[in-house]
Amino acid sequence: SGAYIDLAKIAVGIAGLLESDVLSAKLKTYRDYEVKPFPGGQYLEYAVGKGLEAVFLKEAGEAGFDMIEVSDNTVPFEAAFKMDLIRKAREEFGFTVLGEVGSKISATEVGPFIADVKQCLEAGAWKVFVEAADLLDGEDLRVELVKALKDEFSLEQLIFELPGWWIGSGGGLKVEILNRLFKELGPEVNLANIEENEILFLETQRRRTGVSGFQ
């Protein structure tokens, strides 16, 4: 499926559980297929909570990552701290940075959400993830948020996360949200939280050749 993947997240703290040679082999395999791997943002949030963000950035580079995610969806950061962390990761450690905006705990109002995305990009983030839990109101897509993001930013700057089992959604809801995003933003929209067994299915949906292709 490598032809249809751009990025691969080593989710949460899994990168820290793998033996170094196993992690190195995993990262090499991704790169062999021109897929860019990065550690999940919650791992950096954990490090920040311990006051060890500089150690994390140093060791992530030593482990072979050249891209990281800066999120604050479980450990809230002050805006200035988040921007500084993005700049530091990019300028001092040489990482390509993926920002993330949104909370896993409570809904973020549209205005602050837009402001956070702007700040991530101003600080030097390459692209910004839209947190799946904040993209939904129950089981409904927050269309007003999606439209506001479309109005304010180039879609190339954004990556929309689909809801996964970890936020209590089933496969049916994931496909429904996928198709609604296609209708609002078009089939080329950047998407995340795609499991390995969903990659080819997603590509058929983009091309309208899938079993539940959008109208």
Side-chain angles (χ1 to χ4, degrees):
S1 303
Y4 308 111
I5 309 169
D6 297 303
L7 308 174
K9 178 184 289 191
I10 314 297
V12 289
I14 291 173
L17 301 180
L18 302 178
E19 296 291 340
S20 59
D21 58 335
V22 174
L23 179 60
S24 294
K26 187 177 184 70
L27 301 187
K28 181 180 183 302
T29 299
Y30 280 128
R31 292 196 180 98
D32 286 346
Y33 289 89
E34 299 183 356
V35 177
K36 299 176 181 178
F38 64 98
Q42 282 183 272
Y43 200 12
L44 177 54
E45 291 180 45
Y46 175 81
V48 169
K50 300 288 186 180
L52 297 172
E53 58 270 21
V55 175
F56 176 93
L57 293 172
K58 177 177 178 291
E59 294 191 356
E62 291 172 350
F65 290 103
D66 52 24
M67 174 180 286
I68 65 158
E69 177 185 2
V70 175
S71 65
D72 61 342
N73 50 39
T74 57
V75 180
F77 300 163
E78 293 292 333
F81 177 85
K82 186 175 183 180
M83 293 178 74
D84 183 63
L85 187 56
I86 291 171
R87 289 192 187 101
K88 181 178 293 186
R90 185 173 62 88
E91 296 173 4
E92 296 183 22
F93 291 86
F95 288 107
T96 298
V97 180
L98 297 160
E100 184 171 41
V101 171
S103 172
K104 292 186 185 294
I105 300 167
S106 59
T108 307
E109 295 295 328
V110 172
F113 201 107
I114 296 296
D116 197 346
V117 175
K118 286 182 178 178
Q119 289 165 348
C120 287
L121 293 170
E122 288 171 5
W126 175 53
K127 296 183 190 295
V128 177
F129 285 110
V130 176
E131 163 60 42
D134 225 346
L135 192 59
L136 301 179
D137 179 9
E139 294 193 351
D140 292 328
L141 181 69
R142 292 179 63 190
V143 175
E144 78 285 358
L145 174 60
V146 172
K147 288 183 176 179
L149 289 166
K150 181 181 179 181
D151 289 343
E152 290 285 343
F153 306 103
S154 163
L155 288 180
E156 292 182 357
Q157 297 175 300
L158 304 173
I159 306 174
F160 291 81
E161 291 186 343
L162 295 178
W165 59 265
W166 51 90
I167 59 173
S169 75
L173 176 61
K174 191 170 191 176
V175 173
E176 179 182 343
I177 297 301
L178 164 69
N179 287 332
R180 291 191 66 184
L181 282 171
F182 281 170
K183 288 178 181 178
E184 294 291 336
L185 304 174
E188 297 304 313
V189 60
N190 295 317
L191 298 170
N193 286 352
I194 310 301
E195 301 293 320
E196 64 271 15
N197 63 331
E198 299 171 333
I199 296 164
L200 295 180
F201 167 78
L202 170 60
E203 188 61 22
T204 64
Q205 294 297 97
R206 290 192 190 278
R207 298 173 186 235
R208 299 176 184 258
T209 59
V211 65
S212 57
F214 66 103
Q215 302 299 314

